Amino acid sequence: MLRVLCLGNPLHSNDAVGEWVFDALQSVDFGPYVEVINGGIGGLTLLPYFKDCECVLIVDLIKSDQPVGTRQLLTDLPSHLKQLPTTVATHGGDLTTLLSMLPLYVPNPPRIDLLSMSAEHVCYFSENSSQEIRQGIAALCDDVKHYISRYHVSGTPA
């Protein structure tokens, strides 16, 4: 089982990336081995989504010095925990906290990858997103589809 966990907050401008990807993927049937989930700003309430699966792909916005709208795949996310506090937006308890708590909740955590889009900043309590971010959503959805297409029916990432 592959879970695509889309994170984002539509009240924080560019941070709605995960929610927009989730919305765009609702019309796609990925079959019985893939679940696309709107994780919103779930924080630690997302822990159950890491149970009973082989892989979780997190889709989220990151704050970085890359050009706005840059998409990137970071594989084996838990091995990058020390880098996350300065780069990943907070969602009701940041990803660093979530990933740190995961081994306590799931003794054998799944593979966790992050597919992200870069932004310089997030405007809190604003629905105004940057044009580069909005224009990049279709490409980010294509990246998710490509990632899923590499995922074997057996549940093993390619």
Side-chain angles (χ1 to χ4, degrees):
M1 170 70 68
L2 164 65
R3 290 201 175 107
V4 179
L5 190 55
C6 302
L7 305 181
N9 186 342
L11 297 178
H12 291 178
S13 64
N14 293 332
D15 192 33
V17 162
E19 186 166 300
W20 295 328
V21 168
F22 173 81
D23 290 344
L25 295 177
Q26 288 307 288
S27 62
V28 181
D29 179 9
F30 292 111
Y33 296 100
V34 178
E35 291 180 345
V36 180
I37 299 161
N38 184 351
I41 57 170
L44 294 177
T45 64
L46 299 174
L47 283 170
Y49 293 116
F50 293 85
K51 286 180 115 175
D52 304 320
C53 64
E54 292 82 23
C55 185
V56 175
L57 174 64
I58 297 172
V59 179
D60 199 5
L61 179 86
I62 63 169
K63 298 177 191 176
S64 79
D65 55 3
Q66 296 292 320
V68 173
T70 299
R71 302 177 330 273
Q72 55 191 347
L73 177 65
L74 184 62
T75 58
D76 190 24
L77 192 57
S79 69
H80 300 282
L81 276 178
K82 292 181 180 155
Q83 299 167 0
L84 292 179
T86 58
T87 59
V88 177
T90 300
H91 295 287
D94 63 19
L95 281 177
T96 304
T97 303
L98 175 67
L99 295 174
S100 296
M101 296 297 293
L102 191 58
L104 299 173
Y105 188 76
V106 181
N108 296 307
R111 171 182 167 158
I112 304 168
D113 295 335
L114 172 68
L115 182 57
S116 64
M117 183 176 282
S118 298
E120 294 172 352
H121 66 280
V122 172
C123 297
Y124 299 107
F125 303 108
S126 169
E127 295 180 6
N128 299 322
S129 59
S130 67
Q131 184 175 3
E132 297 91 347
I133 297 291
R134 277 291 192 176
Q135 290 176 338
I137 294 301
L140 192 60
C141 289
D142 288 343
D143 292 343
V144 171
K145 292 173 187 175
H146 178 73
Y147 184 97
I148 291 170
S149 73
R150 293 180 18 232
Y151 190 80
H152 296 297
V153 173
S154 66
T156 305

